[in-house]
Amino acid sequence: MADAAPIHVLLAGPRGFCAGVDRAIKIVEEALRQYGAPVYVRHEIVHNRFVVQNLERQGAVFVEELDEIPDDGQPVVFSAHGVPKAVPAAAEARRMFFLDATCPLVSKVHREAEQHHARGRHMFLIGHAGHPEVVGTMGQLPPGAVTLVEDEADARAVQPPPGAALAFITQTTLSVDDTAEILAILQSRFPGMAAPAKEDICYATTNRQAAVKAIAPQVELMVVVGAPNSSNSVRLKEVALRAGCPRAVMVQRGRDLDLALLDGVSRIGVTAGASAPEVLVEEVLARLRERGPVTTEEIVVAEEKIIFKLPAALTAAAPQQA
């Protein structure tokens, strides 16, 4: 389609991998390097099939639960989303060598939950039911200690235990704007509710949404590179539409982009969720070039320099299993 009208692409910055995702993937890769295959991973290490399949080719074996793992002494990695306390307890009972790839910013929410509980507070957790991060966070405390609040309707209807002191925590990958609206309702109903010392929605989620907001009013189509089970990626699509972009689509790979969507379009925004590697953004750009000339411009709203250290078990001399 050499005669197609040129397309100008606004690239969101930042986009793609965050520090927590980068650390989680490196944990699996380093465990494979030090201990050899297989390295077992409970659940997808991050929500991206390209990443998962790449690790599988290196020798990672992904399972849903620990009972699928044989007692062969090989490392077991818990995903970046975090796990309920029952999971490491079960691993310890079987004397498994496990590595926790939970994002440190998710672990921060876990510690907050424990501290509020220790102070006798009942917690509201703003998040999405069934998401691994929410399951992991609720699993830090006894049943009934946390009430999940998913949306504004929940915030208006929720009834905490009578007379309970209250606190709130949130999933780290939520829409900043949606969460603010939910929180405003809860705070108007429960003005004494304790808040986190520092906002729970992580820097990467906030920055990626801010970049999309900056681009959305300037483009006719937003392409989000990400997986449908990736909370932060789904939020980017929603944010683009809310911020004034007339159309937004999510693709997992460049080949998934329907070129028919480009008919009559001259300006496109491209971003990627925190679990999508930059190589997939390059695939999308290559796909766009199949149609005709493409120019790119990066719109950067924040610089990210955060790096999270690997677990000591991987940076010290590798322990040998008995």
Side-chain angles (χ1 to χ4, degrees), residues 219-223 245-249 261-262 265 267-269:
V219 298
E220 300 147 283
L221 172 69
M222 183 71 69
V223 178
C245 185
R247 192 165 192 181
V249 296
L261 293 173
L262 309 183
V265 171
R267 293 173 67 84
I268 293 176

Side-chain angles (χ1 to χ4, degrees), residues 4-322:
I7 288 177
H8 188 59
V9 175
L10 298 185
L11 289 167
R15 62 183 176 275
F17 277 2
C18 63
V21 164
D22 190 54
R23 172 181 179 267
I25 294 167
K26 285 178 178 174
I27 287 172
V28 179
E29 292 177 334
E30 186 62 18
L32 284 163
R33 190 186 73 80
Q34 292 191 22
Y35 295 94
V39 166
Y40 302 100
V41 186
R42 183 185 179 276
H43 291 176
E44 289 188 335
I45 186 69
V46 297
H47 284 154
N48 187 277
R49 286 303 302 162
F50 178 87
V51 170
V52 167
Q53 289 166 356
N54 185 45
L55 292 172
E56 285 176 333
R57 284 190 290 271
Q58 297 177 56
V61 176
F62 290 84
V63 301
E64 285 303 304
E65 298 299 343
L66 297 184
D67 58 14
E68 300 172 50
I69 300 173
D71 291 319
D72 58 6
Q74 286 295 105
V76 180
V77 181
F78 302 150
S79 80
H81 311 100
V83 296
K85 280 189 172 178
V87 174
E92 287 172 353
R94 287 181 57 185
R95 298 186 178 180
M96 289 176 160
F97 169 42
F98 64 87
L99 298 162
D100 190 353
T102 301
C103 173
L105 299 179
V106 174
S107 296
K108 162 191 168 289
V109 178
H110 291 180
R111 302 294 78 78
E112 287 173 349
E114 291 177 326
Q115 290 163 9
H116 286 309
H117 184 67
R119 292 171 182 146
R121 294 170 180 150
H122 182 82
M123 252 153 304
F124 294 133
L125 168 58
I126 303 173
H128 300 295
H131 188 277
E133 183 184 330
V134 166
V135 173
T137 298
M138 295 186 76
Q140 301 304 303
L141 299 179
V146 182
T147 298
L148 183 63
V149 178
E150 292 197 78
D151 52 30
E152 292 179 52
D154 280 357
R156 293 188 188 96
V158 67
Q159 294 296 334
L166 300 173
F168 78 89
I169 52 178
T170 81
Q171 187 177 333
T172 63
T173 54
L174 300 176
S175 160
V176 173
D177 294 336
D178 287 349
T179 303
E181 291 170 2
I182 293 168
L183 190 52
I185 294 168
L186 289 175
Q187 288 174 324
S188 68
R189 293 186 62 204
F190 311 107
M193 180 177 61
K198 189 173 184 294
E199 186 176 27
D200 288 339
I201 296 177
C202 77
Y203 78 94
T205 296
T206 301
N207 290 345
R208 278 150 192 73
Q209 290 180 21
V212 165
K213 288 178 185 178
I215 289 172
Q218 305 180 54
V219 298
E220 300 147 283
L221 172 69
M222 183 71 69
V223 178
V224 178
V225 182
N229 62 337
S230 165
S231 175
N232 77 86
S233 299
V234 174
R235 302 291 84 74
L236 292 177
K237 180 180 174 183
E238 295 171 353
V239 167
L241 294 169
R242 175 180 282 190
C245 185
R247 192 165 192 181
V249 296
M250 181 185 294
V251 297
Q252 298 196 62
R253 302 292 299 268
R255 61 176 177 256
D256 300 334
L257 180 60
D258 181 2
L259 294 181
L261 293 173
L262 309 183
D263 291 347
V265 171
S266 62
R267 293 173 67 84
I268 293 176
V270 175
T271 188
S275 48
E278 184 65 13
V279 65
L280 300 184
V281 174
E282 293 298 329
E283 281 189 5
V284 167
L285 294 177
R287 176 70 167 159
L288 292 173
R289 292 187 187 102
E290 291 176 18
R291 184 181 179 279
V294 173
T295 57
T296 62
E297 175 186 356
E298 190 165 26
I299 306 297
V300 178
V301 302
E303 298 284 348
E304 295 180 348
K305 299 180 180 179
I306 294 175
I307 298 173
F308 293 134
K309 294 179 180 178
L310 298 184
L314 292 177
T315 56
Q320 298 300 312
Q321 295 305 104

